[in-house]
Amino acid sequence: MKQLDGTILDVKKHMERNNISNLEIPSRIPGWLEEVEKTKEKAQNISSTRNGCFNLKMRQQVGRNAFKITEEMESFIDENNKITWSDAQRCLGKVNSKIASSFAPLDGDAQNHFKSRERTFKDVLGFLQQDHQEPSDSPMWNGRCGENHYVQVEKTAKDKKMFDYVVKVVIGQQINMFSIQQAVAEYMGQSLTETSQTARIDRLRITFGNLPEVEANSDSTLVRVDVMVELEAHNFFWQITGVSKQHDMELNQIGSEIVRRCVFLPLAIKLIAKTLQFHEVFAWRDTFQRLKKKNLDENVQEVIKISYNYIKTEEEKVIFLLCGLFPDNFNIPIQELTRYAWGLRVLSEVSTLGEARDKTKTCVQNLKNANLLMDRDYIGCVKMHDLVLAFVLSRVSKGDHEPW
């Protein structure tokens, strides 16, 4: 038993290391562990005190059982010695793979859960279940929906093991088939050496069993993500501002108009509510007047502009604009932002790299508090919403980067 316990401990430690590093685990190992635990349980049920000195028949039966279990244990130890661990890198898209423990939850707080979005989530899940129950010649589902929905759908699909692989591809504003093909190959644990788009498509078809290569302009399953319902949007706004609707009738009226001008879009409401938090009524009036002069389609960018103008320091503005250097939906490492800020010498009263790192982290935290940046999958990284990124790129293209 002691020898087997030691073997089990070694196997579990090896599994833990491979899970953290996303390395392959021999397919026999999970079943081996289950069978070993059953044998251990049988061994622990053998009594060594209740068999009686003179009950020879019972003692003989227990002895035979113990001998049989001992043989099982020895066979398990011998089998484990013959199992080969390749420790090869595991496919990123494989459903049963476990990502490293440095993962942080994305938008998992209750503030981002809206009743109006539950129907969308159920619609997406319905499409997945339909494809799962009625497999076609192409066991592949291509959907486009909001990111919060994607995170929920991905988790549910993996928990239910509805697919063998889940491939995450960012389409972005400009469709880049080359990068889409590359992402598919990487998530499936393959490499593409071909340089032409046609050759890469053929390679993917051959590699993945003649599956059709999904085109970005194909008839994908589109699920519309609606804006919030009016009551939900208003409650969301007042919850962030911390102002009671009954506290001030003028604030109540202005706030309600601002929410309508945000066209009930969660991002816009969150940004403007955070900006107006702790400000006097004249700031609310000024904000409403600015939004009132714009078309509804322009108001989201105007909201982001207002939030940008309320950024406290020039250093925070620079860090914010630096985030625009990264692609859509990118995990932006704070360490890289530190290097850029240090190299461009945009951080004041900083003499060491350690001080630059602290100041950059402070700026990033303030931008997150203002909802201009968001937490990302990996600890030490942040993300910029695509609408915010579009605003940053428009500012930089106009030469609005004086701090540089």
Side-chain angles (χ1 to χ4, degrees):
M1 177 74 84
K2 289 181 180 179
Q3 188 177 356
L4 185 60
D5 282 338
T7 303
I8 294 171
L9 184 61
D10 291 340
V11 170
K12 288 184 175 179
K13 285 183 177 179
H14 202 157
M15 284 185 65
E16 184 179 0
R17 288 196 303 270
N18 281 23
N19 278 328
I20 290 174
S21 302
N22 200 35
L23 302 179
E24 289 285 357
I25 295 173
S27 58
R28 173 67 182 123
I29 289 297
W32 182 89
L33 284 172
E34 288 182 10
E35 293 171 13
V36 165
E37 290 300 328
K38 291 178 182 177
T39 299
K40 279 186 61 179
E41 186 176 346
K42 287 191 291 185
Q44 290 164 352
N45 289 332
I46 295 177
S47 174
S48 59
T49 59
R50 298 181 182 178
N51 298 320
C53 295
F54 301 104
N55 193 336
L56 298 182
K57 183 178 179 181
M58 182 178 291
R59 289 175 66 83
Q60 192 264 351
Q61 288 176 344
V62 172
R64 287 181 60 185
N65 190 27
F67 181 76
K68 184 178 178 181
I69 292 174
T70 301
E71 284 186 324
E72 288 183 13
M73 290 181 174
E74 289 174 348
S75 69
F76 282 131
I77 294 172
D78 183 59
E79 181 185 2
N80 177 68
N81 292 334
K82 295 177 182 177
I83 294 176
T84 301
W85 292 70
S86 66
D87 293 335
Q89 190 69 44
R90 192 161 45 188
C91 299
L92 290 173
K94 194 136 187 179
V95 168
N96 63 359
S97 64
K98 293 182 180 179
I99 307 303
S101 57
S102 60
F103 249 49
L106 174 66
D107 287 343
D109 57 326
Q111 195 181 72
N112 292 284
H113 177 75
F114 308 123
K115 288 278 187 183
S116 57
R117 302 297 179 89
E118 290 181 0
R119 179 180 176 183
T120 304
F121 170 73
K122 291 177 180 177
D123 287 345
V124 175
L125 199 59
F127 283 119
L128 288 174
Q129 290 172 329
Q130 180 180 354
D131 282 356
H132 181 59
Q133 294 168 359
E134 302 174 7
S136 61
D137 293 335
S138 173
M140 182 180 293
W141 181 83
N142 177 24
R144 302 172 189 175
C145 57
E147 183 170 356
N148 287 345
H149 288 87
Y150 170 77
V151 173
Q152 290 178 295
V153 170
E154 179 192 17
K155 183 179 184 307
T156 303
K158 286 184 175 181
D159 289 345
K160 293 186 176 183
K161 299 195 180 207
M162 299 170 68
F163 297 92
D164 293 329
Y165 293 87
V166 173
V167 177
K168 294 185 280 189
V169 180
V170 178
I171 302 299
Q173 298 283 342
Q174 301 295 327
I175 295 175
N176 185 335
M177 285 305 298
F178 190 91
S179 63
I180 292 173
Q181 293 165 350
Q182 189 67 30
V184 171
E186 289 174 356
Y187 270 92
M188 303 294 283
Q190 302 293 323
S191 60
L192 292 176
T193 57
E194 292 76 14
T195 55
S196 74
Q197 181 171 314
T198 304
R200 290 162 69 87
I201 290 175
D202 288 339
R203 174 63 62 192
L204 287 173
R205 283 175 177 163
I206 293 171
T207 302
F208 305 130
N210 295 320
L211 292 178
E213 168 66 1
V214 178
E215 298 180 4
N217 59 352
S218 65
D219 294 330
S220 306
T221 301
L222 299 179
V223 179
R224 178 180 177 83
V225 181
D226 292 323
V227 296
M228 305 168 72
V229 297
E230 184 169 356
L231 178 61
E232 189 177 49
H234 285 293
N235 290 338
F236 185 52
F237 175 82
W238 296 113
Q239 177 186 351
I240 296 174
T241 58
V243 176
S244 172
K245 290 186 289 186
Q246 290 79 24
H247 175 71
D248 189 307
M249 291 301 297
E250 185 178 8
L251 277 182
N252 184 17
Q253 183 177 358
I254 298 172
S256 299
E257 291 298 329
I258 289 174
V259 171
R260 292 191 185 95
R261 287 286 163 178
C262 289
V263 293
F264 306 142
L265 188 68
L267 172 66
I269 294 172
K270 186 189 292 187
L271 282 172
I272 204 66
K274 200 70 178 180
T275 301
L276 294 176
Q277 195 178 33
F278 310 123
H279 279 80
E280 299 294 333
V281 65
F282 57 81
W284 290 51
R285 284 197 298 263
D286 179 64
T287 298
F288 171 61
Q289 290 302 321
R290 291 179 61 173
L291 295 178
K292 189 177 179 180
K293 294 176 182 177
K294 298 285 184 179
N295 296 327
L296 291 179
D297 292 339
E298 300 174 337
N299 271 351
V300 174
Q301 289 296 305
E302 185 65 22
V303 165
I304 299 173
K305 182 178 179 181
I306 292 171
S307 299
Y308 172 77
N309 291 337
Y310 270 98
I311 293 178
K312 295 179 182 178
T313 67
E314 291 300 317
E315 293 165 334
E316 291 174 12
K317 286 188 177 181
V318 173
I319 297 297
F320 177 67
L321 294 175
L322 283 173
C323 291
L325 296 173
F326 298 88
D328 287 349
N329 203 45
F330 195 82
N331 288 316
I332 304 173
I334 299 176
Q335 186 66 29
E336 285 198 33
L337 290 175
T338 302
R339 294 193 188 106
Y340 287 135
W342 173 262
L344 292 169
R345 298 182 179 181
V346 296
L347 301 175
S348 61
E349 299 179 0
V350 166
S351 57
T352 67
L353 191 57
E355 292 175 356
R357 187 179 297 111
D358 289 342
K359 179 152 284 192
T360 302
K361 287 181 178 179
T362 301
C363 292
V364 167
Q365 186 60 53
N366 290 338
L367 292 169
K368 284 165 56 179
N369 292 341
N371 290 315
L372 289 168
L373 293 178
M374 301 181 291
D375 281 320
R376 200 47 180 138
D377 301 327
Y378 297 97
I379 294 173
C381 294
V382 290
K383 181 204 168 185
M384 180 173 278
H385 194 284
D386 54 355
L387 292 175
V388 179
L389 176 60
F391 168 80
V392 172
L393 295 178
S394 69
R395 304 293 293 187
V396 174
S397 65
K398 294 176 183 178
D400 185 14
H401 46 82
E402 293 85 354
W404 296 13

